[in-house]
Amino acid sequence: TKIANSNATYLPTHSIHPIQITTMGATPPEEIAKQHKDAVALMDAGMECATRINHGEVPLYWKERPTCPNPVVTEGGTDDKTNANGANNSPLNGTRNNIATSSSNASSPAENGSSDPSVEVNVTYPDWCISSRGQVDVSPIVALISEGVDDPAPPPPSPASKPRNGTKPKTNGKSPTKPPSFSPTNLWNEQNATQNNVRITRPSHDAWGIKKIILVFSDDFLHTIYTLPWYQPSPTDPDSIGSKLHLAIQPILQTLQIRQEQVVRCLLAGLPPGVTIPIHHDTGEWVKHTHRVHVPIIVPDPSKVLFRCGPTEQSMERIDCTPGHVFEMNNQAKHAVTNGHEKEFRVHLILDYVNEEFFEKRKKPVTTRVNLSP
């Protein structure tokens, strides 16, 4: 199979081993517990969602760096601080200006080049971080992924269970256990994904019990874009999983007014009940070149999901997570999510796409597109 793209090299279908992605540093468990408690309190208090406004695309020059420096903890609590020496790390990409005062906890006088331990600098924040791009019918996607959606993810494998240097794992003289059978239509089943799609390991997500159905993925530098089997339409079988999922997702692309070739990452993510992904911003070279889009797919009760985003931790707004809401977010801004359901997973489709001119402007290295086989 060959993938046509004007500026991509053409390679045949490939089969690869599971991909492992590095992530940001871990947030301490006690801080995650605190953030979860705070999030539940906000939901219980009935925190309102921000008004849906379609601002169009998030300007990519707003995403050249995080919208604010990392927070600094002082005796007064947590605040977003910066200093004269670190001013290049502050966002210069919007139109909303704020004056931040840097305490001596953030930097020493020697570091900021001043004998004054407190330096005022101009910090510019973007005017908005969320754009509601539209509303779509996601029932065709729901029909394809409902089976097994609330089954817990298997625990991540321990390092001791992994074979090293190509050696086979020890069986202590016993015959290896036959893996359990699985339903081929349960796309959340890891054995099914390993056998018929591709299994991707993300250590922090796996530790949180987040389940994934990966459809399109890329490396951090957008050198190679992989289209996985479950997103490859069959020219002869319209009832294949690849054909059905590809067709079911097209209304989202039409709402965004983008072509399939612009998509560099696409997955369905299941967040377990009672889990909080703490406040963070995304990292990686790909972030500043892409538009990050979320579409809630399965959310039994939107009032029990708290998804917030904003230029600072203090200014994060709640996003409406009604199924079918197509929204773009600035993932260089601070964001966090809590699934407050007691038993049900929350499922979003998460998609990243580039501007059409990205491949034309990027002459070297040439982006390679690869269709993966199981």
Side-chain angles (χ1 to χ4, degrees), residues 255-306:
T255 297
L256 296 169
Q257 299 181 17
I258 63 173
R259 298 182 301 112
Q260 178 60 54
E261 290 75 16
Q262 293 174 247
V263 177
V264 295
R265 293 188 177 192
C266 182
L267 61 89
L268 290 146
L271 182 66
V275 169
T276 287
I277 297 179
I279 299 168
H280 67 287
H281 62 264
D282 292 348
T283 59
E285 183 68 16
W286 60 276
V287 175
K288 63 184 180 182
H289 297 296
T290 58
H291 298 273
R292 162 57 60 90
V293 174
H294 275 250
V295 185
I297 305 296
I298 298 177
V299 186
D301 182 354
S303 71
K304 293 184 178 180
V305 171
L306 187 71

Side-chain angles (χ1 to χ4, degrees), residues 138 141 145 149 188 210-213 215 252 266-271 292-299 302 305-308 319-325 327 329 336-338 345-351:
V138 295
I141 303 176
I145 67 168
V149 66
W188 299 104
I210 297 173
K211 302 194 299 184
K212 304 169 291 292
I213 299 173
L215 304 176
I252 297 172
C266 182
L267 61 89
L268 290 146
L271 182 66
R292 162 57 60 90
V293 174
H294 275 250
V295 185
I297 305 296
I298 298 177
V299 186
V305 171
L306 187 71
F307 194 155
R308 294 176 297 155
I319 305 168
D320 182 0
C321 287
T322 300
H325 177 202
F327 63 88
M329 62 176 287
V337 60
T338 295
F345 275 66
R346 178 233 66 173
V347 178
H348 277 202
L349 182 139
I350 305 173
L351 179 150

Side-chain angles (χ1 to χ4, degrees), residues 85-139:
N85 187 50
N88 289 335
N89 292 326
S90 65
L92 302 173
N93 49 9
T95 59
R96 182 182 303 162
N97 295 325
N98 294 276
I99 298 297
T101 301
S102 174
S103 73
S104 58
N105 288 14
S107 64
S108 67
E111 288 173 329
N112 61 38
S114 169
S115 59
D116 183 357
S118 180
V119 179
E120 286 190 348
V121 294
N122 191 18
V123 180
T124 307
Y125 299 118
D127 280 339
W128 47 269
C129 293
I130 297 294
S131 179
S132 294
R133 304 284 299 274
Q135 180 75 31
V136 298
D137 176 16
V138 295
S139 59

Side-chain angles (χ1 to χ4, degrees), residues 148-182:
V149 66
D150 291 325
D151 294 344
S158 64
S161 66
K162 296 180 180 179
R164 297 182 179 180
N165 302 324
T167 60
K168 295 182 179 180
K170 295 180 180 180
T171 60
N172 297 323
K174 300 178 181 179
S175 299
T177 304
K178 185 179 179 179
S181 59
F182 59 87

